[in-house]
Amino acid sequence: MGNGPTDHRESALVISLLQMCEVTGVYNLQGGFIGDLAQCLTDKFQFAGPLARNATEALDRSLAKLGSSTSRAAAMEQALASNPATRSLFRVLRKPENRTAPLHAHSQGNLILSNALAAVAAVDGPSAIAGREVHSFGSPSINWPPGLRHQEYGFTFDPVTWLAGFDFSFSISKIGPHQYDGSGTLVSHGFKVYAQNDPSFVINRFRWGSFGVTVSLDEEGLADALVAMRGNLPRVQAVFDKLEKSHNSDSDDVAVLYVEKLQASPHRSAIVSALKLNPTLKNKLIQLMDEGWTGADEKAAIAFLRGI
């Protein structure tokens, strides 16, 4: 809502810098506060309203209305006509070159994305979206089609996330008040603030605790996630900087696991090449493992890094 073309472009650039990749954005034209709010409500009940309880029902209704000569894709596009952005995203998602691309959505964009994915599944079958990687920021969406690899991120005081209901699975990566935008406000929702707090959100995907106290941290899972970032070492560096600052007792263990797992990774050569060009991260890892008592596994990991 209230997202102009410049805002959309800047958000796409933020994702591009964070993920170190090209980004294709689908822009939802703003129509003023009342118009945007009405569109959000329509999006929220696209496949949950009185005319269709799911995307397949909507497709069947559209096919019955348009006739058997209409293709399933064209019939679905007609069903999505209330929001041109959803229709455009439906087309983008069905392109072969985009079938495995990770998806990122913020705020109302989550309603648009969930509807577009449900539409793709109705037209092309559940396998067309099975395993798709989806990252949701400040999401008001309750309904997501099954089969996704879906990760949500939310500030505790982002009221938009409250519209998605209570997280009974406790799988949403949540953090308290934002830390880096300098506004001093308690409520946070803007995408840039989400991106600025990326290290905390990455860590909290694998952390259990509250009020700054960590009860447990899945160090293996976090190390796997960091290795999966491959050559995106600035992002990896930011996570280790946050670990050192806020979870110091876990930082050396995660560093050891990261080094061990990158050596066994099929992307080892790419990560090692990136480390050669990024001595800052290499030195940070050595520092974390070399502090205090150093075990055999830490010594082996340090030796590997120094040999790069």
Side-chain angles (χ1 to χ4, degrees):
M1 291 180 59
N3 199 43
T6 300
D7 300 316
H8 177 76
R9 178 179 179 274
E10 289 179 352
S11 294
L13 287 172
V14 167
I15 296 176
S16 178
L17 291 171
L18 185 65
Q19 301 285 344
M20 292 182 66
C21 65
E22 293 183 356
V23 170
T24 298
V26 176
Y27 173 59
N28 182 35
L29 183 66
Q30 61 181 340
F33 178 79
I34 299 300
D36 284 354
L37 180 60
Q39 188 184 62
C40 279
L41 294 174
T42 302
D43 289 341
K44 198 168 180 67
F45 295 102
Q46 173 77 57
F47 298 131
L51 296 181
R53 292 188 298 274
N54 56 55
T56 301
E57 286 187 9
L59 177 60
D60 291 342
R61 289 178 64 88
S62 186
L63 283 169
K65 179 180 178 180
L66 297 173
S68 58
S69 61
T70 304
S71 69
R72 291 170 63 83
M76 180 55 79
E77 289 193 13
Q78 183 63 35
L80 298 173
S82 62
N83 190 332
T86 310
R87 187 169 53 191
S88 294
L89 183 56
F90 169 73
R91 294 169 181 164
V92 168
L93 292 176
R94 296 185 72 237
K95 291 182 177 180
E97 62 267 29
N98 296 328
R99 290 281 181 160
T100 59
L103 307 172
H104 295 73
H106 172 250
S107 195
Q108 183 190 358
N110 288 281
L111 300 173
I112 293 170
L113 178 57
S114 62
N115 289 335
L117 286 167
V120 171
V123 171
D124 299 322
S127 62
I129 65 168
R132 292 218 63 162
E133 181 182 336
V134 176
H135 297 271
S136 294
F137 303 87
S139 174
S141 183
I142 296 175
N143 301 311
W144 289 90
L148 303 172
R149 290 189 292 136
H150 184 207
Q151 179 62 52
E152 294 189 69
Y153 309 87
F155 288 107
T156 303
F157 300 104
D158 181 349
V160 175
T161 64
W162 304 345
L163 300 175
F166 187 77
D167 174 32
F168 289 100
S169 67
F170 295 99
S171 61
I172 297 178
S173 178
K174 279 203 167 185
I175 63 176
H178 60 76
Q179 301 171 33
Y180 301 117
D181 78 337
S183 69
T185 59
L186 183 65
V187 175
S188 309
H189 180 65
F191 177 71
K192 287 183 181 179
V193 185
Y194 272 97
Q196 287 167 348
N197 285 269
D198 177 67
S200 293
F201 281 117
V202 171
I203 293 168
N204 277 20
R205 285 171 54 190
F206 305 96
R207 174 179 170 268
W208 178 264
S210 60
F211 302 105
V213 177
T214 299
V215 177
S216 65
L217 181 69
D218 178 6
E219 296 169 345
E220 290 264 0
L222 178 54
D224 283 331
L226 294 174
V227 172
M229 294 178 188
R230 302 185 191 180
N232 190 350
L233 298 192
R235 193 178 183 200
V236 175
Q237 170 92 45
V239 172
F240 276 110
D241 287 343
K242 181 63 180 176
L243 280 172
E244 181 183 28
K245 179 180 179 180
S246 302
H247 311 278
N248 188 261
S249 62
D250 298 295
S251 60
D252 58 336
D253 296 329
V254 178
V256 172
L257 289 167
Y258 173 73
V259 175
E260 291 176 346
K261 290 176 180 293
L262 80 82
Q263 293 179 72
S265 169
H267 307 290
R268 167 178 169 152
S269 60
I271 300 173
V272 169
S273 295
L275 280 169
K276 288 180 180 178
L277 299 174
N278 192 326
T280 304
L281 175 58
K282 184 174 76 170
N283 293 335
K284 169 67 69 176
L285 293 169
I286 292 173
Q287 171 209 319
L288 292 174
M289 293 184 289
D290 204 25
E291 291 177 343
W293 183 82
T294 306
D297 54 348
E298 292 173 315
K299 291 178 180 178
I302 290 171
F304 171 78
L305 291 174
R306 285 178 173 160
I308 292 176

